[in-house]
């Protein structure tokens, strides 16, 4: 059956230490008995230390199962325990060598006492190390209790790693949402900037359109004034044309009457059309020139009667 690494130092210590005190000469065994008594005291202290260590290790194992975030610190503690185990093995080896030296040389009791003093110093150092580990455990214990209370309030989670994983996922989601929020805020700011630019462009366009409208209204007013002027001119032209048309009609009627009179005087039917006013005036002109020449050829005293 495999032995766990936590129990290995204790098992090795028990295997290497003698269980029975050998019978020796009372006069020579007093230092050895003292050494064995000190060694027994050290074993008792070690037993107590290992009992506390096993209890502490049990709690640490439970805490390791409940919270993965403390794995690194637990690995540090595990490394410390391994170093502690190695230290104990080295100490056991040194104690074994010291025992062999004591068996081989009984007169080395003084040196064994010095070794015992050194071991007691090492034991004191181990106690200080135990106190340090206990303080570390006390610092870590509130976090473990807090996780246990939170786990008790959340029945949907069975183990602390599930709770930690869930909160880790929520933290990642929150970070992603915050990143998305920053992106949306940037897009919103860009949209607002575009809106401001569009509003400025719209305002400039409205201003330009207003100026164009004012210009067009001015041009329209000027065009209306010109239209009124040309309408008045057109009315005047129409009135003048009507007068001229009336006068022309009268002239044409007069020319036609004269042409008809000339035709009657010449006893000839009218050969020209009624609309040929120029031809009629030409015929009247020729008739008048002919009569003028005739009158000029007659004496002044005998006027000819038409």
């Amino acid at each position: 059956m495999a032995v766990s690494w936590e129990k290995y130092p204790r098992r090795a210590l028990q295997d290497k230490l003698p269980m029975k005190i050998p019978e020796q000469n009372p006069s020579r065994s007093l230092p050895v008995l003292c050494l064995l008594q000190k060694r027994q005291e050290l074993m008792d202290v070690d037993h107590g230390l290992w009992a506390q260590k096993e209890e502490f290790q049990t709690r640490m194992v439970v805490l390791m199962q409940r919270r993965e975030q403390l794995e690194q610190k637990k690995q540090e503690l595990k490394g410390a325990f391994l170093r502690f185990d190695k230290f104990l093995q080295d100490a056991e080896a040194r104690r074994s060598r010291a025992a062999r030296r004591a068996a081989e040389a009984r007169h080395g009791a003084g040196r064994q006492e010095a070794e015992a003093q050194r071991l007691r110093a090492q034991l004191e150092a181990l106690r200080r190390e135990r106190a340090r580990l206990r303080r570390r455990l006390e610092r870590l214990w509130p976090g473990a209790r807090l996780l246990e209370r939170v786990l008790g309030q959340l029945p949907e989670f069975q183990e602390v790693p599930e709770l930690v994983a869930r909160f880790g996922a929520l933290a990642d989601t929150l970070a992603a949402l915050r990143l998305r929020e920053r992106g949306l805020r940037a897009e919103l700011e860009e949209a607002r900037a575009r809106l401001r630019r569009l509003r400025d462009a719209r305002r400039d366009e409205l201003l330009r359109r207003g100026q164009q409208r004012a210009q067009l209204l001015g041009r329209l007013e000027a065009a209306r004034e010109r239209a009124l002027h040309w309408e008045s001119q057109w009315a005047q032209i129409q009135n003048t044309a009507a007068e001229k048309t009336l006068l022309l009609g009268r002239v044409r009627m007069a020319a036609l009457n004269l042409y008809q009179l000339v035709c009657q005087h010449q006893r000839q039917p009218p050969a020209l059309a009624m609309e040929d006013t120029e031809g009629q005036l030409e015929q009247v002109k020729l008739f008048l020139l002919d009569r003028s020449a005739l009158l000029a050829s007659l004496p002044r005293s005998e006027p000819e009667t038409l």
Side-chain angles (χ1 to χ4, degrees), residues 274-288:
M274 295 179 64
E275 293 80 7
D276 191 6
T277 303
E278 294 180 358
Q280 295 172 4
L281 291 175
E282 185 67 25
Q283 292 297 325
V284 171
K285 179 181 177 183
L286 293 175
F287 179 75
L288 292 176

Side-chain angles (χ1 to χ4, degrees), residues 10-254:
R10 182 178 180 183
R11 181 68 60 85
L13 186 62
Q14 292 177 355
D15 292 340
K16 292 181 180 181
L17 289 178
M19 300 304 296
K20 294 183 180 181
I21 300 174
E23 296 181 359
Q24 296 179 0
N25 191 351
S27 62
R28 301 178 59 185
S29 62
L30 182 59
V32 177
L33 290 176
C34 293
L35 178 60
L36 292 176
Q37 185 178 1
K38 296 297 183 180
R39 189 175 297 168
Q40 185 65 35
E41 292 177 359
L42 181 60
M43 289 179 61
D44 294 338
V45 172
D46 289 339
H47 287 312
L49 178 62
W50 277 107
Q52 293 180 1
K53 178 184 175 183
E54 289 176 358
E55 181 182 358
F56 170 74
Q57 192 64 30
T58 303
R59 294 181 180 178
M60 288 299 294
V61 170
V62 174
L63 186 60
M64 287 172 63
Q65 293 176 354
R66 290 180 174 273
R67 186 178 183 186
E68 294 180 356
Q69 284 74 11
L70 300 177
E71 185 63 27
Q72 184 176 359
K73 295 182 179 180
K74 292 177 184 179
Q75 291 297 331
E76 295 176 356
L77 292 176
K78 185 176 179 180
F81 283 130
L82 290 175
R83 291 191 300 271
F84 180 75
D85 183 63
K86 185 177 182 301
F87 178 79
L88 289 180
Q89 291 178 1
D90 295 337
E92 179 63 23
R94 287 191 294 270
R95 285 197 297 268
S96 298
R97 289 193 297 270
R100 287 194 300 270
R101 286 194 299 269
E104 295 173 356
R106 301 297 181 182
H107 61 278
R111 288 180 296 177
Q112 292 178 359
E113 183 66 23
E115 182 70 14
Q117 291 292 336
R118 188 176 62 82
L119 292 176
R120 281 195 293 269
Q122 291 178 357
L123 178 61
E124 185 64 26
L126 292 176
R127 288 175 178 174
R128 289 194 296 270
E129 180 68 15
R130 183 186 62 181
R132 186 182 66 83
L133 294 177
R134 181 175 295 176
R135 288 193 298 271
R136 178 175 290 184
L137 177 61
E138 290 176 355
R139 289 196 301 270
L140 297 177
W141 185 247
R145 294 183 60 187
L146 177 61
L147 288 176
E148 290 178 356
R149 288 197 299 269
V150 172
L151 188 63
Q153 295 176 0
L154 299 174
E156 62 271 17
F157 298 101
Q158 300 297 328
E159 297 294 336
V160 172
E162 297 180 3
L163 177 63
V164 173
R166 176 59 177 170
F167 278 98
L170 292 177
D172 294 339
T173 303
L174 179 60
L177 290 176
R178 287 178 177 174
L179 182 61
R180 178 59 178 169
E181 181 183 4
R182 287 195 295 271
L184 292 177
R185 287 182 181 274
E187 293 178 1
L188 179 60
E189 291 298 329
E190 184 179 358
R192 287 177 176 175
R194 289 199 303 270
L195 180 60
R196 286 193 295 270
R197 290 194 297 270
L198 290 176
R199 286 179 176 175
D200 294 339
R202 178 63 177 173
R203 185 168 55 252
D204 296 339
E205 182 68 17
L206 290 177
L207 181 61
R208 188 175 64 82
R209 294 294 183 181
Q211 293 175 354
Q212 291 181 355
R213 182 174 179 273
Q215 295 175 0
L216 291 175
L217 287 176
R219 293 172 61 184
L220 178 61
E221 189 65 26
R224 286 177 178 176
E225 292 179 357
R226 289 195 300 271
L228 291 175
H229 172 72
W230 289 114
E231 285 178 357
S232 61
Q233 291 291 329
W234 177 247
Q236 184 177 0
I237 290 172
Q238 286 181 340
N239 294 331
T240 303
E243 293 176 357
K244 295 295 182 180
T245 302
L246 180 60
L247 178 60
L248 180 60
R250 292 177 180 176
V251 170
R252 293 180 65 182
M253 290 298 297

Side-chain angles (χ1 to χ4, degrees), residues 291-305:
R291 292 305 174 184
S292 297
L294 181 61
L295 289 175
S297 62
L298 293 177
R300 298 287 185 181
S301 60
E302 297 179 359
E304 185 179 356
T305 303

